[in-house]
Amino acid sequence: MSCTLFIAGDSTAALKGASEKPMTGWGEYLQGYFGPSVQVDNRAVNGRSTKSFLAEGRLAAIEKDLQAGDYLFIQFGHNDGKQEDPARYADPERDYPGNLQRFIACARRAGAAPVLLTSVSRRRFLEDGAPDPLAVGAYPEVMRQVAAETNTPLLDIFAASQQLYGALGQEGSRHLFMHLPERAHPNYPDGISDDTHFSDVGARQIARLVAQAIKQCDALQQLRSHLIGSAEAVLPGGEVRPL
């Protein structure tokens, strides 16, 4: 039985145009972990929060296409925390939980399965060399709470990405993100130093973490049956490892 997996999210997951490359969203590589029975439809958009995604009618557009048996992956948080921007800011204690519940309700109305993904972590380390547990503020923990309260499957990508960064270390994790010197790429003539957005290698790594989380989630048995067991990921150092 075939189905569509929709991604609602921000720039960390979104498709990137030619003018943005080599910046890459993890959603660009998720299809590679599924056979033709699952079609990934990536609706994530740069700069969006739960609030602006809803206000712009983007969830409503997804709802028109959702069918019974589909999946709605929901990952936000990075832009919800922008207090300086009223169009995007969603208070983590009040607005953010309510917004997430609207996404969940939308999927369930259509007979689709909502899946919450905690925000993928920024590359931010503490003085002791550990990844900063507040790299995306309170939003990952709030999403965990909403998942528990609404009985919604949760993929803890924040925890998984922090584990990856911690294993690689502060310098070793640098290549996962957009760090380019001046004149290294025509799209970034002045260079770039960005610890939120992923390089192509980083996007591949995060997509692999998402696929692993699906495989480990008992609540997603139907979806994980569609995973391609031989899907491979290239790890730091060139090692190739199957899912």
Side-chain angles (χ1 to χ4, degrees):
M1 182 177 178
S2 61
C3 65
T4 302
L5 190 163
F6 293 88
I7 301 174
D10 55 33
S11 58
T12 59
L15 297 168
K16 298 293 186 285
S19 64
E20 297 173 278
K21 293 295 184 178
M23 186 183 292
T24 310
W26 64 259
E28 298 187 53
Y29 284 112
L30 191 60
Q31 183 67 67
Y33 288 98
F34 291 101
S37 57
V38 174
Q39 180 64 44
V40 175
D41 188 338
N42 190 354
R43 303 286 184 95
V45 182
N46 291 355
R48 274 30 179 212
S49 67
T50 54
K51 182 177 182 179
S52 61
F53 201 93
L54 288 165
E56 293 170 3
R58 297 183 183 277
L59 180 61
I62 292 175
E63 186 168 17
K64 291 179 180 178
D65 295 331
L66 272 173
Q67 297 183 14
D70 287 345
Y71 294 85
L72 177 60
F73 276 31
I74 305 154
Q75 187 209 251
F76 290 95
H78 286 85
N79 299 304
D80 292 82
K82 295 185 181 298
Q83 296 188 42
E84 71 280 6
D85 185 354
R88 292 189 288 178
Y89 179 61
D91 180 272
E93 294 183 2
R94 181 183 61 257
D95 302 328
Y96 190 60
N99 291 346
L100 290 176
Q101 289 172 14
R102 289 177 64 182
F103 281 83
I104 293 167
C106 166
R108 289 177 173 163
R109 278 195 302 271
V115 181
L116 295 176
L117 287 71
T118 52
S119 316
V120 62
S121 181
R122 294 185 175 97
R123 177 178 169 265
R124 185 181 296 168
F125 287 79
L126 302 176
E127 289 186 5
D128 64 1
D132 184 354
L134 293 177
V136 195
Y139 294 94
E141 180 56 32
V142 171
M143 184 168 274
R144 295 183 191 111
Q145 294 170 3
V146 171
E149 292 167 0
T150 60
N151 195 29
T152 303
L154 176 78
L155 305 181
D156 199 343
I157 307 306
F158 181 81
S161 57
Q162 288 224 316
Q163 184 177 13
L164 173 64
Y165 307 161
L168 293 172
Q170 188 162 0
E171 186 57 33
S173 60
R174 193 171 184 270
H175 74 291
L176 302 178
F177 291 83
M178 285 295 293
H179 288 273
L180 295 170
E182 292 182 17
R183 296 185 294 277
H185 194 282
N187 283 341
Y188 303 93
D190 297 327
I192 184 172
S193 181
D194 181 341
D195 287 318
T196 296
H197 298 101
F198 298 108
S199 64
D200 186 82
V201 172
R204 291 175 186 269
Q205 290 294 310
I206 301 304
R208 182 172 182 270
L209 294 182
V210 173
Q212 286 181 322
I214 294 168
K215 188 174 183 179
Q216 296 163 2
C217 183
D218 290 339
L220 294 176
Q221 291 186 26
Q222 185 74 27
L223 181 60
R224 71 186 186 187
S225 70
H226 294 276
L227 288 168
I228 300 173
S230 60
E232 296 178 337
V234 179
L235 303 181
E239 178 188 357
V240 177
R241 183 181 299 172
L243 180 65

